[in-house]
C-alpha cells in the first residue's frame, strides 16, 4: 500500500498549522466540541454499527461504546484543552555565553504525529485536540472494530476545519487494515513520531516494526499494596474504585497485595467488589481468609497466570506478602510500570514504596484510576507512556512538544 501522497499532504498541512495563531486553534477546538454535541445522534448511529459487530462480552466492548454522557465528557475535555496555555514557544533555557552568544531553548511542535489505536473512538477526538493545540498534524490509524465511529468523528472535524478555512489534512484517518499500519510505521521523512495505544501485542509489533521514533503507551498491569498499617475504610474505597470504575481501561487494578498480618481484614477489604461480581484469584493464604466470607462462585485459587495479567474484566488476583519489601519485589517482577499504589498510614513505608517502585505513576492512599490526563489537569491525554525517554505517564500538551535552540550572535566566530 502506497500512502506517501497522503503522508505528504499531512506534512504540508503541518507547516501551515505551525503558522496558525493560538486564538484560531482554540476557536476550532470549541467549535468541534459544539459540533460533536450537535451531531451526537450521527456519532452514536455509527458507533452502534461498530458495536453490533462485537460480542458484548468482549473486554473491548466498553472501550468501544459511546454514549451521550461520554460524548459530553469528550466535548468538555476539548474545551479544557482549548482553555489551557499554549505549550509552544515556552522558554526552557536562556543563557548568554562569555563570547556574547545569546542561546534560548524553546518548545516547538513535533510536526506530524501518528497514533495507532484499537477499539477506542474517543481517542480520535483526544488526539486531534491535543495535536492541534500543540501545533502538530496527526495521522489516525484506528482499528476495524471502531472504523465507523472514527469516520463519523473525523467527518465532523473536517467539516469544522473547512468552515475555518483550515487544511483538512491536519487530521487524517488511514484505512483500518494492517497494511496501513505497516505503511505508517515506515513513513520516514513524513511522520516524526508514532504512538501506539492498545494491547501488548500491538505495542510489541509497533516497537519491532517501526523505522520511525516510537513512544510506547504500554499495557497497564496495576497493583495495590495494602500495608500492615493500612486504613481499612480507605482501602475498601480505593480497591473498589480502582477495580470496578471501568474495568476495560489501562489504569484498572489487576492485583491486590496484602500484608500477611492483615489477612483477617481481607474479606472486609474485598466486600465492596461483590456487588460488581468481581472474580478473585487468591493465593493459598488469601483463599483461606476469603473462603466462607466471599461468594464461592466468585472465588478461585490463583495460578501462575493470575499474576502479571491485565484482566480488562471483573477479575482480580490477590497475593499475600510477608512485608513491604516482598510487595515491592512482586511489583518489580510483574508490573508494566504503569501505575502502582500503597495503602498505608506509615509515612516511612509510603516514602520507601514511592522511592523503590519503578512506575510512571506511584500512588499513596489513592486509586490508580486517577492515572488520566484530564484528572492530572492536562485537559486530555494522547496516551500514558510507560517508557523513560522523552515522556512518562499521562502525555498532555507539554509532553507532545519537543524543542529547538535559537542562537543570536553579532559576528562572533569560533576560534
Amino acid at each position: 500500500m502506497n500512502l506517501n501522497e497522503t503522508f505528504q499532504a499531512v506534512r504540508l498541512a503541518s507547516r501551515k498549522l505551525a503558522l496558525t495563531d493560538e486564538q484560531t486553534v482554540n476557536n476550532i477546538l470549541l467549535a468541534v466540541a459544539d459540533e460533536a454535541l450537535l451531531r451526537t445522534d450521527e456519532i452514536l448511529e455509527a458507533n452502534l454499527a461498530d458495536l453490533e459487530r462485537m460480542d458484548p462480552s468482549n473486554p473491548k466492548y466498553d472501550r468501544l461504546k459511546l454514549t451521550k454522557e461520554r460524548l459530553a465528557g469528550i466535548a468538555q475535555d476539548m474545551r479544557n484543552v482549548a482553555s489551557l496555555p499554549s505549550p509552544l514557544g515556552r522558554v526552557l533555557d536562556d543563557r548568554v555565553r562569555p563570547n556574547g552568544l545569546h542561546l534560548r531553548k524553546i518548545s516547538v511542535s513535533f510536526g506530524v504525529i501518528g497514533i495507532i489505536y484499537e477499539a477506542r473512538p474517543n481517542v480520535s477526538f483526544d488526539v486531534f485536540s491535543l495535536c492541534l493545540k500543540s501545533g502538530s498534524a496527526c495521522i489516525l490509524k484506528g482499528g476495524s472494530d471502531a472504523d465507523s465511529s472514527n469516520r463519523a468523528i473525523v467527518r465532523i472535524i473536517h467539516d469544522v476545519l473547512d468552515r475555518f478555512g483550515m487544511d483538512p489534512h491536519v487530521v487524517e484517518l488511514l484505512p483500518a487494515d494492517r497494511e496501513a499500519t505497516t505503511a505508517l510505521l515506515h513513513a520516514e521523512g513524513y511522520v516524526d513520531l508514532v504512538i501506539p495505544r492498545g494491547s501488548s501485542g500491538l505495542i510489541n509489533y509497533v516497537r519491532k516494526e517501526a523505522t520511525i521514533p516510537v513512544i510506547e503507551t504500554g499495557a497497564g498491569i496495576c497493583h495495590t499494596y495494602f500495608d500492615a498499617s493500612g486504613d481499612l475504610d480507605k482501602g475498601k474505597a480505593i480497591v473498589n474504585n480502582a477495580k470496578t470504575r471501568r474495568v476495560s481501561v489501562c489504569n484498572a487494578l489487576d492485583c491486590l497485595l496484602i500484608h500477611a498480618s492483615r489477612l483477617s481484614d481481607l474479606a472486609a477489604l474485598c466486600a465492596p467488589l461483590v456487588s460488581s461480581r468481581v472474580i478473585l484469584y487468591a493465593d493459598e493464604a488469601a483463599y483461606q481468609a476469603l473462603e466462607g466470607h466471599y461468594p464461592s462462585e466468585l472465588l478461585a485459587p490463583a495460578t501462575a497466570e493470575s499474576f502479571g495479567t491485565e484482566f480488562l474484566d471483573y477479575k482480580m488476583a490477590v497475593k499475600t506478602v510477608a512485608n513491604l519489601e516482598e510487595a515491592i519485589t512482586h511489583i518489580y517482577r510483574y508490573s508494566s510500570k504503569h501505575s502502582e499504589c500503597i495503602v498505608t498510614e506509615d509515612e516511612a513505608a509510603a516514602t520507601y514504596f514511592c522511592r523503590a517502585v519503578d512506575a510512571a505513576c506511584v500512588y499513596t492512599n489513592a486509586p490508580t484510576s486517577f492515572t488520566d490526563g484530564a484528572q492530572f489537569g492536562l485537559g486530555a491525554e494522547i496516551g500514558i507512556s510507560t517508557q523513560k525517554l522523552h515522556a512518562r505517564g499521562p502525555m498532555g500538551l507539554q509532553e507532545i512538544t519537543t524543542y529547538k535552540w535559537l542562537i543570536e550572535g553579532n559576528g562572533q566566530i569560533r576560534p
Side-chain angles (χ1 to χ4, degrees):
M1 175 178 289
N2 190 339
L3 290 171
N4 285 349
E5 287 187 9
T6 298
F7 297 149
Q8 177 66 20
V10 176
R11 170 60 72 184
L12 290 174
S14 74
R15 293 171 60 184
K16 299 174 188 176
L17 177 59
L19 301 175
T20 303
D21 65 275
E22 183 183 356
Q23 189 58 56
T24 298
V25 168
N26 291 339
N27 289 340
I28 291 171
L29 293 177
L30 294 173
V32 171
D34 291 342
E35 194 74 6
L37 295 182
L38 187 64
R39 296 164 67 174
T40 290
D41 290 345
E42 179 181 337
I43 297 172
L44 294 183
E45 183 179 353
N47 185 240
L48 181 60
D50 289 329
L51 290 170
E52 288 176 343
R53 295 193 301 270
M54 182 178 286
D55 183 346
S57 65
N58 188 323
K60 293 181 181 179
Y61 189 89
D62 181 63
R63 287 185 174 188
L64 175 61
K65 186 176 182 180
L66 294 174
T67 64
K68 289 184 178 180
E69 293 74 21
R70 289 183 180 181
L71 284 173
I74 290 168
Q76 186 57 50
D77 284 346
M78 283 191 283
R79 294 190 183 100
N80 292 342
V81 171
S83 71
L84 292 172
S86 172
L88 303 174
R90 291 177 297 121
V91 178
L92 308 175
D93 198 352
D94 191 331
R95 62 182 68 186
V96 177
R97 300 295 297 146
N99 63 1
L101 283 179
H102 183 194
L103 283 72
R104 288 180 297 144
K105 182 166 72 171
I106 65 167
S107 60
V108 297
S109 66
F110 268 98
V112 177
I113 297 177
I115 309 292
I116 302 173
Y117 53 110
E118 294 172 329
R120 302 185 68 169
N122 64 293
V123 172
S124 299
F125 279 122
D126 291 346
V127 168
F128 164 71
S129 61
L130 288 167
C131 284
L132 192 76
K133 181 79 174 187
S134 62
S136 288
C138 59
I139 298 176
L140 308 176
K141 172 57 187 71
S144 57
D145 289 337
D147 195 50
S148 296
S149 304
N150 290 333
R151 298 209 171 276
I153 290 167
V154 172
R155 183 165 58 248
I156 288 170
I157 294 172
H158 280 170
D159 287 347
V160 173
L161 291 172
D162 184 63
R163 191 189 312 160
F164 279 82
M166 286 285 292
D167 188 336
H169 291 294
V170 296
V171 54
E172 187 70 46
L173 178 63
L174 298 184
D177 52 49
R178 192 178 182 90
E179 289 77 11
T181 301
T182 302
L184 177 58
L185 296 181
H186 296 284
E188 299 99 331
Y190 300 114
V191 179
D192 298 287
L193 173 69
V194 66
I195 302 173
R197 291 186 61 169
S199 66
S200 57
L202 169 67
I203 293 161
N204 289 336
Y205 172 76
V206 170
R207 185 196 306 117
K208 294 175 182 177
E209 182 72 17
T211 53
I212 58 177
V214 176
I215 292 181
E216 298 177 32
T217 59
I221 301 171
C222 303
H223 301 79
T224 291
Y225 167 55
F226 190 75
D227 188 36
S229 66
D231 180 278
L232 183 57
D233 289 334
K234 291 180 186 177
K236 288 163 64 175
I238 288 168
V239 170
N240 186 53
N241 186 257
K243 178 68 262 182
T244 67
R245 178 187 167 272
R246 285 188 69 184
V247 296
S248 63
V249 293
C250 57
N251 58 29
L253 179 60
D254 295 297
C255 181
L256 170 64
L257 304 171
I258 184 165
H259 193 283
S261 68
R262 300 301 300 274
L263 281 172
S264 60
D265 291 313
L266 180 59
L269 187 63
C270 295
L273 302 174
V274 175
S275 61
S276 298
R277 308 293 292 172
V278 175
I279 298 173
L280 301 181
Y281 299 97
D283 69 2
E284 184 175 355
Y287 189 97
Q288 291 177 4
L290 289 167
E291 194 172 21
H293 304 285
Y294 197 83
S296 59
E297 69 275 16
L298 300 177
L299 183 61
T303 66
E305 290 72 30
S306 302
F307 306 110
T309 295
E310 185 181 24
F311 288 107
L312 302 174
D313 202 350
Y314 289 95
K315 299 175 180 178
M316 187 179 78
V318 184
K319 170 73 174 177
T320 308
V321 294
N323 48 48
L324 173 61
E325 194 61 47
E326 188 177 332
I328 292 171
T329 298
H330 181 96
I331 291 171
Y332 183 84
R333 178 178 179 183
Y334 292 105
S335 172
S336 63
K337 300 184 179 182
H338 187 292
S339 300
E340 307 294 352
C341 166
I342 182 172
V343 179
T344 186
E345 297 301 303
D346 183 339
E347 186 175 343
T351 299
Y352 184 78
F353 184 88
C354 290
R355 291 182 62 184
V357 169
D358 182 14
C361 301
V362 183
Y363 291 83
T364 300
N365 294 329
T368 56
S369 51
F370 278 109
T371 302
D372 176 270
Q375 294 297 313
F376 279 27
L378 306 180
E381 69 183 34
I382 206 164
I384 297 172
S385 171
T386 55
Q387 65 183 44
K388 298 180 182 179
L389 288 177
H390 182 71
R392 200 177 195 196
M395 296 172 59
L397 291 172
Q398 293 187 18
E399 288 74 23
I400 53 172
T401 61
T402 182
Y403 61 82
K404 65 182 178 185
W405 288 91
L406 301 179
I407 303 95
E408 298 178 23
N410 190 29
Q412 296 94 328
I413 60 173
R414 183 173 176 176

